[in-house]
Amino acid sequence: MKRKTSQKIALEQIFIQQERPLGVEEILQQGRKFVKSLNQATVYRNLKILIDAGWLRKISHPFLGNLYERTNRVHHHHFHCRKCNKAFELPGCALKEDNIAPEGFIVEDHEIFLSGICPSCFKKYSNSQQVTPH
Ligand SMILES: [Zn+2]
Ligand SMILES: [Zn+2]
């Protein structure tokens, strides 16, 4: 099995496997498993192709900068783990837009970024008794 994987297909594979938003560094690292010659310029070029095709969207994350995720997601929010520095997708939304703002404001959209410790880091750190309170 030595067939060459195209860079675009490699990027698509990463997003299908990961199911969470990814930054360029992560995409680069994982993409090199498929395509050794991948570099930052080719990653950016293919991200743009996938965004233009409506397959990916760019998120400006307050802690992590630009992240990319699939467009086939329903409304959701993101969790940033401050230990492993990864972003995760949290399914669903508990915010009720119709009673969040005072009378007279018409809320049309919102964005929430949560942060803390992810389950796998919690396991790791609680085993070594290193969970630090916020
Ligand atoms: Zn973590
Ligand atoms: Zn929401």
Side-chain angles (χ1 to χ4, degrees), residues 31-96:
R32 286 201 172 125
K33 291 178 198 160
F34 297 99
V35 181
K36 274 218 173 82
S37 62
L38 209 63
N39 60 46
Q40 221 175 58
T42 53
V43 167
Y44 277 117
R45 189 164 61 234
N46 284 283
L47 285 173
K48 191 182 179 310
I49 292 169
L50 290 167
I51 289 169
D52 289 346
W55 201 83
L56 278 183
R57 112 179 94 219
K58 187 157 87 173
I59 314 161
S60 298
H61 192 281
F63 308 120
L64 299 170
N66 286 339
L67 299 177
Y68 300 85
E69 75 173 355
R70 295 286 312 275
T71 50
N72 65 350
R73 299 301 203 225
V74 293
H75 181 80
H76 64 270
H77 295 289
H78 298 113
F79 182 95
H80 166 238
C81 174
R82 61 191 171 86
K83 292 287 183 193
C84 64
N85 220 26
K86 287 177 182 162
F88 298 88
E89 181 179 319
L90 299 180
C93 176
L95 192 74
K96 300 269 175 289

Side-chain angles (χ1 to χ4, degrees), residues 16 21 25 27-28 30-31 36 39 41 48-49 51 75 101 105 107-108 113 118-119 121 123 126 131-132:
I16 290 165
E25 269 311 307
I27 296 166
L28 198 50
Q30 306 214 21
K36 274 218 173 82
N39 60 46
K48 191 182 179 310
I49 292 169
I51 289 169
H75 181 80
F105 290 91
V107 180
E108 294 183 324
F113 293 97
C118 76
C121 285
K123 242 183 257 157
S126 59
V131 176
T132 49

